[in-house]
Amino acid sequence: MTGTQSSAIDTPKVSVSAEVDLFAANPALFPVLQQGARHMIELYDHFPRIARLVAAQQKWLLTQAAYALHLQRDPTDPLSGITAARLLEVIAPTSLASRNTATAFLAELRAYKLVRDVTGSPSKRSRPMEPTETSHEAMGLWFRGQMRSLDLIDKGDRVARLEANLDIFRYAQPLAAKRLIADQEWREPPVSISCFVWTEYGGLILDDFISRIANVEPVDGCYWVEDLRFSELSSHYSLSRTHVRRLFTRAEAMGSLGWQDRNGIRNRIWATASFVDDYKRWQSVKFCALEWAYNQAVRSIGKDTF
């Protein structure tokens, strides 16, 4: 899975679904996912505005699409890059967002100073935008974290190669974004996961919950989290307790998790094995796309670069 080696995901003999199943079955995966969840919490602490903005699945996908448009910008075409029209072209084959939603999203990015107008644009109607330095840093750290997770799973050297040549990131991110946007399994995760990630800020709470699970294998069919308090989550992520409670209430209603000794001093929460399995497979869809994009980028750049 490292360097220019051929990944099974590139081979017609093995379907993408089979590759995802194989990835999800790796016993090393869940501890790596927990490490990745902790990394996302660290990114939140460093970039709270960005993290809150993309903590819902729709905005995460729109962000990836917009950044890919920037990386694919043609310097000779002043109207290329991030524009509402081009963003709509990317998401048009899906039901990801309406024209108004996409336009409002870009306006939100501009208001938060996460994108800015490209100077020298000849058009007043279609103003291309570009990411600010903060957005570049956040996306770069996110991608590096994903490569580190892949390295932990197979003892690869992607991070070292990435740091030696950042063109890997510039080639791979648009490829991964396009594939994930087109993949219904990623866009529309299982209902046990979507009840978090298709809700405002739900991705933050899901990452936090996954990071707190104590056992890497189910015990009596359950995974356990000790001493989780809504007040702590509310304070850390600047969310109302009502919003946090609502997320967990939805998951409880679906049977994905529940409380033991709810009225006791310790707030012990269980999650079903199927809930964690859903999470592992959904994340595996993302990692297989990133692995494929990384390999494609390395091939495009050429062996001699390294």
Side-chain angles (χ1 to χ4, degrees):
M1 289 175 66
T2 316
T4 57
Q5 296 176 354
S6 177
S7 169
I9 205 165
D10 302 317
T11 306
K13 295 179 182 179
V14 179
S15 70
V16 172
S17 180
E19 177 71 7
V20 171
D21 287 339
L22 185 64
F23 198 98
N26 190 322
L29 177 60
F30 189 59
V32 171
L33 291 179
Q34 289 190 294
Q35 178 273 331
R38 286 188 285 271
H39 179 248
M40 294 306 296
I41 295 169
E42 291 172 3
L43 288 181
Y44 167 81
D45 291 337
H46 193 58
F47 305 101
R49 178 171 287 179
I50 295 177
R52 283 168 62 89
L53 180 68
V54 301
Q57 180 74 343
Q58 183 187 55
K59 290 184 177 179
W60 187 93
L61 288 163
L62 288 171
T63 298
Q64 293 288 334
Y67 200 87
L69 286 172
H70 165 72
L71 289 181
Q72 294 176 315
R73 181 180 175 224
D74 180 357
T76 66
D77 181 358
L79 296 182
S80 66
I82 305 171
T83 67
R86 288 180 180 270
L87 184 58
L88 284 168
E89 286 179 12
V90 173
I91 65 174
T94 74
S95 57
L96 178 60
S98 67
R99 175 183 297 273
N100 288 344
T101 298
T103 302
F105 174 71
L106 291 179
E108 190 174 17
L109 292 181
R110 182 189 281 116
Y112 286 160
K113 294 181 170 38
L114 299 176
V115 297
R116 62 192 169 213
D117 293 338
V118 175
T119 58
S121 172
S123 173
K124 293 183 179 180
R125 294 186 59 188
S126 179
R127 295 182 300 171
M129 291 170 275
E130 62 184 4
T132 60
E133 287 74 15
T134 299
S135 296
H136 285 305
E137 183 183 2
M139 187 65 81
L141 287 172
W142 171 81
F143 188 84
R144 185 185 186 280
Q146 302 303 300
M147 294 300 103
R148 181 169 183 263
S149 290
L150 286 168
D151 282 350
L152 288 172
I153 289 172
D154 67 359
K155 296 181 172 52
D157 61 353
R158 299 171 191 81
V159 171
R161 287 172 174 252
L162 176 66
E163 291 177 345
N165 191 334
L166 292 179
D167 281 343
I168 292 175
F169 166 64
R170 289 187 279 270
Y171 275 81
Q173 189 277 334
L175 293 172
K178 181 178 181 180
R179 179 159 165 167
L180 289 171
I181 291 166
D183 193 327
Q184 187 174 2
E185 275 200 282
W186 177 255
R187 288 198 322 272
E188 301 174 16
V191 65
S192 60
I193 304 304
S194 64
C195 76
F196 284 96
V197 302
W198 273 98
T199 304
E200 286 294 307
Y201 316 124
L204 289 173
I205 301 303
L206 180 60
D207 284 335
D208 193 294
F209 183 79
I210 292 295
S211 74
R212 293 171 184 258
I213 290 176
N215 47 309
V216 297
E217 295 291 340
V219 176
D220 297 328
C222 294
Y223 292 81
W224 294 92
V225 171
E226 306 279 354
D227 295 329
L228 185 146
R229 293 178 173 84
F230 293 159
S231 57
E232 179 184 345
L233 295 177
S234 173
S235 175
H236 188 176
Y237 300 110
S238 301
L239 303 173
S240 71
R241 290 193 194 185
T242 300
H243 184 72
V244 174
R245 186 179 299 277
R246 187 181 299 120
L247 289 169
F248 282 96
T249 299
R250 288 175 182 171
E252 183 182 22
M254 294 175 185
S256 298
L257 54 83
W259 282 259
Q260 185 181 63
D261 301 327
R262 183 192 293 270
N263 297 320
I265 296 175
R266 301 182 70 188
N267 199 1
R268 194 171 192 234
I269 302 180
W270 53 263
T272 63
S274 61
F275 170 76
V276 174
D277 286 345
D278 283 348
Y279 180 79
K280 289 196 293 185
R281 195 179 194 288
W282 181 60
Q283 288 289 312
S284 295
V285 173
K286 177 193 66 179
F287 280 121
C288 286
L290 284 164
E291 165 69 359
W292 170 81
Y294 168 86
N295 283 333
Q296 292 292 108
V298 170
R299 293 189 189 102
S300 295
I301 294 167
K303 296 180 181 179
D304 293 340
T305 306
F306 306 101

